[in-house]
Structures are given as C-alpha cells and as structure tokens.
Amino acid sequence: MILAIDTSNSKSSAAFCYNGKIFLSKDKEIGRQSETILTHIDNVLNEAGVKLEQVNGFAVTIGPGSFTGIRVGIAVTNMFAMVTEKLIYPISNLELQLIYSKPQKCKSIIDGNNQNIYVQEFDEKFNTISEGRFLNLNHLIYSQDEIIVISDR
C-alpha cells in the first residue's frame, strides 16, 4: 500500500491503491499545491478507510516540474516517512509518463516553457537509454529512427 504524492505540476494530487481500488484526490484550480496536498492525502486515506500508519511507503514525483511544487511534495513525503519510519520511492515525471506507453523504444517529453523541453529516452523494456535532459527546441537533432514520443501536452 503505497501513497503517491504529486505536487510537481500546476495541480497537486494524491493517490492510494487499496484492495484493488484506486482512490484519487486532485486540484481543480492551478497553483495551490502547498495549500491543498494535505487535504488530498487526508481525502484518499479516509475514503480508503486507512490510517497513515498503515501505509507501507510513499511515492513522490521529483520532477521535472515546478521547483516550488517539487519541494512541497518532497517535504511532505519526508515528514510522513520520518513519522511512520516507512520508505520513500522517488519517481521522475519522465518515467511516470511511460505508464501510457506500449513496450517500445520511446522518448518522454515534458514542456519546460519558453521553447524548452525535458526529454529522456527509454528502450522497449523501459530501461533508461539517456538521462533526462533540458533542451531548447532550436537545438534538437532529428533522427531517421522511428521513436514514439510521449508528451505531457
């Protein structure tokens, strides 16, 4: 039973899977991560009928994304892990997007604003081919290889 926390984007969310059912709580408004994440966590645990002490660990997104949002998520996760003495499982948003991918070579891309992107390449088994990079769109090199692109937009 892992509690997942995401505050790295413009909206925060918490998710929890218990007895095969997924419980999710997320923002409707943009930019209120620090004000809403604790409410989301409380919502999913209450809906599942589980106390924080029963959680086996915590997953948290570590970016790329909003610098302040990432810090909020990591701080909350560290606090819960310290209190419960449970493990933290950090996950990159570039890796997280692979959930929507079929097993094939692909590039995960996230908008970095101002014609910049974050990009990371993975093989058919979702092993990392290249580390996540921050690139300007003007400096992209196009190849002849057929690569599936997964984007957050």
Side-chain angles (χ1 to χ4, degrees):
M1 298 188 306
I2 304 294
L3 175 63
I5 298 168
D6 182 12
T7 57
S8 65
N9 296 301
S10 58
K11 296 181 180 182
S12 67
S13 63
F16 186 70
C17 184
Y18 183 63
N19 286 338
K21 185 173 180 188
I22 297 174
F23 301 91
L24 173 67
S25 181
K26 62 183 180 177
D27 285 342
K28 292 185 172 93
E29 296 180 43
I30 294 175
R32 300 177 54 115
Q33 300 97 318
S34 62
E35 298 174 28
T36 59
I37 190 59
L38 294 175
T39 301
H40 294 315
I41 293 166
D42 196 43
N43 288 346
V44 296
L45 293 178
N46 283 337
E47 196 174 335
V50 173
K51 298 199 178 299
L52 186 64
E53 299 79 30
Q54 295 174 277
V55 173
N56 294 335
F58 304 93
V60 62
T61 52
I62 55 170
S66 158
F67 179 71
T68 301
I70 292 166
R71 291 186 315 167
V72 168
I74 290 172
V76 168
T77 305
N78 280 336
M79 176 187 64
F80 287 148
M82 203 177 306
V83 168
T84 62
E85 298 181 351
K86 303 290 171 65
L87 293 176
I88 296 174
Y89 303 95
I91 186 163
S92 159
N93 285 330
L94 292 164
E95 293 174 292
L96 193 57
Q97 289 189 141
L98 295 178
I99 291 171
Y100 304 108
S101 175
K102 296 178 183 176
Q104 57 195 326
K105 186 175 179 183
C106 63
K107 286 188 179 180
S108 179
I109 297 175
I110 294 177
D111 185 4
N113 297 324
N114 300 318
Q115 293 199 338
N116 295 303
I117 59 171
Y118 297 95
V119 62
Q120 188 168 10
E121 192 171 355
F122 299 89
D123 70 13
E124 310 73 36
K125 296 181 180 176
F126 304 126
N127 296 311
T128 300
I129 293 175
S130 67
E131 293 301 316
R133 296 172 296 185
F134 185 72
L135 300 173
N136 184 281
L137 290 174
N138 297 325
H139 297 111
L140 283 181
I141 299 171
Y142 298 96
S143 72
Q144 299 292 333
D145 297 337
E146 182 179 330
I147 296 176
I148 306 302
V149 175
I150 304 163
S151 174
D152 69 332
R153 306 253 177 194

